[in-house]
Amino acid sequence: MRHWLVKTEPDTFSLEDLRRESPALWDGVRNYQARNFLREMRCGDVVLIQHSSCKVPAIVGLAVVSEIALPDPTASQPDHAGFDPRHVADLEAGKPPRWLAPRLAYLRPLSTTLPLSRIKAAPPMAESHLVRRARLSVMPLNENEIACIASLAGESLMP
DNA sequence: GCCAACGTTGGC
DNA sequence: GCCAACGTTGGC
């Protein structure tokens, strides 16, 4: 079982939205590195939900992967900002979809939200994707990073 | 709202 | 296939 971190803008889709709509399709990812990570997700993996582009960017709660590697339907909708004709062409050609979405089931909030500033300042995070790869919206966390974040959060990150 | 980081596009 | 121009992300 792996741990992942995903970013979402709470004005668009917050942890509370996920709670209400759980399980929800995690759509709209349009970055190849992030897509490749989505492809590696497996059912039962734990996903840390991070609010971004908001007052206090922070990890706010946990979800669990409930379905994997579904074609992202928003990439097939011409009226959608994430529309990509190459995605439609892939599907029509019987090729694997270019853009993927897992389905995530709400698990629980953190007892206290954990600001990104605290996470980034922790020495074990120095080599993490979170610190080193600006703008990446889906990333795996290794054992050290999970332990570090759990310690900062003061609670378990297990399902 | 600014702007650095950095991914994508397209001319050559 | 290089790389300059351009667009987007996201912390601050």
Side-chain angles (χ1 to χ4, degrees), chain A residues 7-156:
Chain A
K7 301 178 183 176
T8 185
E9 301 188 13
D11 288 350
T12 305
F13 195 81
S14 67
L15 182 68
E16 185 60 17
D17 292 323
L18 177 62
R19 188 187 65 76
R20 279 195 301 266
E21 299 177 28
S22 178
L25 201 60
W26 201 262
D27 59 20
V29 173
R30 295 292 182 277
N31 168 281
Y32 289 103
Q33 191 180 5
R35 188 275 314 270
N36 293 342
F37 286 139
L38 289 180
R39 192 177 272 154
E40 295 178 24
M41 285 187 176
R42 293 295 174 262
C43 289
D45 285 355
V46 172
V47 179
L48 280 61
I49 307 292
Q50 186 221 303
H51 282 173
S52 65
S53 294
C54 55
K55 197 155 189 177
V56 182
I59 293 176
V60 293
L62 304 181
V64 63
V65 177
S66 65
E67 279 188 85
I68 60 170
L70 302 161
D72 185 339
T74 65
S76 300
Q77 298 165 7
D79 57 338
H80 195 282
F83 175 65
D84 187 345
R86 298 168 302 179
H87 175 85
V88 177
D90 289 345
L91 292 177
E92 286 172 353
K95 293 199 268 184
R98 180 171 304 248
W99 301 117
L100 303 174
R103 202 179 297 280
L104 301 186
Y106 178 84
L107 210 50
R108 61 177 183 269
L110 290 192
S111 56
T112 56
T113 64
L114 184 55
L116 209 54
S117 57
R118 290 196 60 211
I119 301 168
K120 287 188 165 184
M125 301 304 294
E127 301 300 314
S128 67
H129 290 291
L130 190 62
V131 170
R132 308 204 55 168
R133 297 245 48 134
R135 308 194 307 169
L136 185 62
S137 63
V138 178
M139 67 196 80
L141 299 167
N142 69 28
E143 296 290 339
N144 281 343
E145 293 156 6
I146 298 157
C148 174
I149 295 169
S151 169
L152 290 172
E155 66 185 272
S156 166

